Amino acid sequence: MAEGRVQRRLAAILAADVAGYSRLMGEDEEGTLAALTAHLSEAIEPCIAEHRGRVVKTTGDGLLAEFASVVDAVQCALAFQDAMGKRNGPVPEARRIEFRIGVNLGDVIIQDDDVFGDGVNVAARIEGLARPGGICLSRAARDQVRDRMAIALHDLGEVAVKNITRPVRCFAVGPDTADESASQQAPPPEPAAKTSDKPSVAVLPFDNMSGDPEQDYFADGMSEDIITALSKLRWFFVIARNSTFSYKGKSPDVRQVARELGVRYVLEGSVRKAGNRLRIAAQLIDGETGNHLWAERYDRQVEDIFAVQDEITQRVVGAIEPQLYAAENLRIQSKPPESLDAWGCVIRSLWHLGRFTKGDNEEARQLLRQAVALSPNYAKAHSVLAFAEARMVFFGGDIDTTLSSAREIAQTAVALDDDEPWGYFSVGYIVCFTSRYDEAIAWYRRAIELNENFALAHGNMAAALALGGQPDAAIEAVDLAIRMSPRDPFNYSYLHFAAIAHFAAERYTEGVACEEQALRERPNFTPALRFLAACHAGLGEMEKARSAIAEVLRLTPESSIKRDVYGQVAYAGENDRERYAAALRQVGLPEE
């Protein structure tokens, strides 16, 4: 195989995940970890090997396995769940480790014994549709086994799954699945409040797990601070403290809470203090299905209790904001674009913008124009449209015409609402294209003042810092953006900006690592390929550098030194700019 060429194959992928893992770890971390380790080594991994599969990786609370045959994968899934059922038999129900399993057949990318791509993503997403102890198959997997295995299947219909363009037809395994699924998903009979048109969230009082009543103030403070911080994000509808604190000391079903308060999402958490150690856990839950959308745990030394409270509040809010964007996008994926309201258009556009292709960027522009037409005074629609318009520079748009149009739209957004952080972000993004980096940084900082958890602003400010001669500050901005939003669809771009900073600082090994990670998330991202080539050249790895440039020229034949080093966005420092040009010239990028 030629160096640099992507290796693909068709494979059956089994994804498994522990249901309620955060709760189990919060209640008994050491016991849960020991039990899970024993299940994996004694039952699950041998089962996979017996069915001719291989464990690709474990993920803390789950695993990913690859099979050459779908039949083997499904037989393994059945044996896996049967073994876990037997092992869980003597265990109290509240302490049982139960897995959900998803199986898909699809094309996967192979890299260093790991697997990537939609074939993997679909398996991981549909796993969440299975009941605890259950199995869910994609249509592709179902078609391979329905005439070869005597298993009952319940059609779940077309399901929109995160980061997959089209809905996936899904099937649950088991004769009683339909009844069980219906009973699990059915909302309680209590009267429901009217759900807000905005994305709506309720923050329940955090549980004090310390056994010390004096720690209640800290747990309550965490909840109150998060409510206050979320309330500053003006696209949220956040339930007031007095309503959510009526649940304090209770253990309500989150679906019942969502129904009673009229919200789509519920955030719950816990605080545990032992000596000088503090553990805070939080999880975001879909109020309709009860599925976990995000969960995280934070361990800290209790030195300044209020500093810890502020830090964790920032981390939680910064992490769940993009999760809610993603969840809202999933919710509207099944709707035709013409039926979307202005909010829905903006949310769907952000998903397309995260994919960074010409087609997706054009789709985003169309959706945002629809949003502006539906709601002419909606500042955020104008702001994101300006962002999408400016991005046309990467896809062949004339730089002067494109930026002039984008600047006009961004100025309209700021005039409509001077407290909307997206407007300032978009102006900063546009200014960055003209190499006025100090000005761009000032616009980004204004956006961050209005929303300190705005990961996209922190991440993109890194580009202005890196190109403007502040590489170490750029790395700090990238680290902060990724800590705030570790699963952000724009993380590939932040990693690329980190590589720009590392190249400027002549840290070529670190630059290669950042771009390789960025390219795993966006394999055809040509700016990353160019800096990957430059960093390889800096290390003297000329064949790898030439291979990366060959891929750049295959994807964008118009690439050149004039266009990509001295045009568009360029290093402000002459030394950095000329070193970058020399590296790319040396490995085959044409002058014009």
Side-chain angles (χ1 to χ4, degrees), residues 204 207 247-254 256-257 268:
L204 292 179
D207 291 330
Y247 295 94
K248 184 174 172 62
K250 303 175 183 177
S251 299
D253 183 285
V254 292
Q256 179 179 347
V257 172
E268 63 178 10

Side-chain angles (χ1 to χ4, degrees), residues 183-202:
S183 66
Q184 285 191 350
Q185 302 300 325
E190 289 82 352
K194 184 181 184 296
T195 301
S196 168
D197 292 335
K198 286 184 178 182
S200 45
V201 61

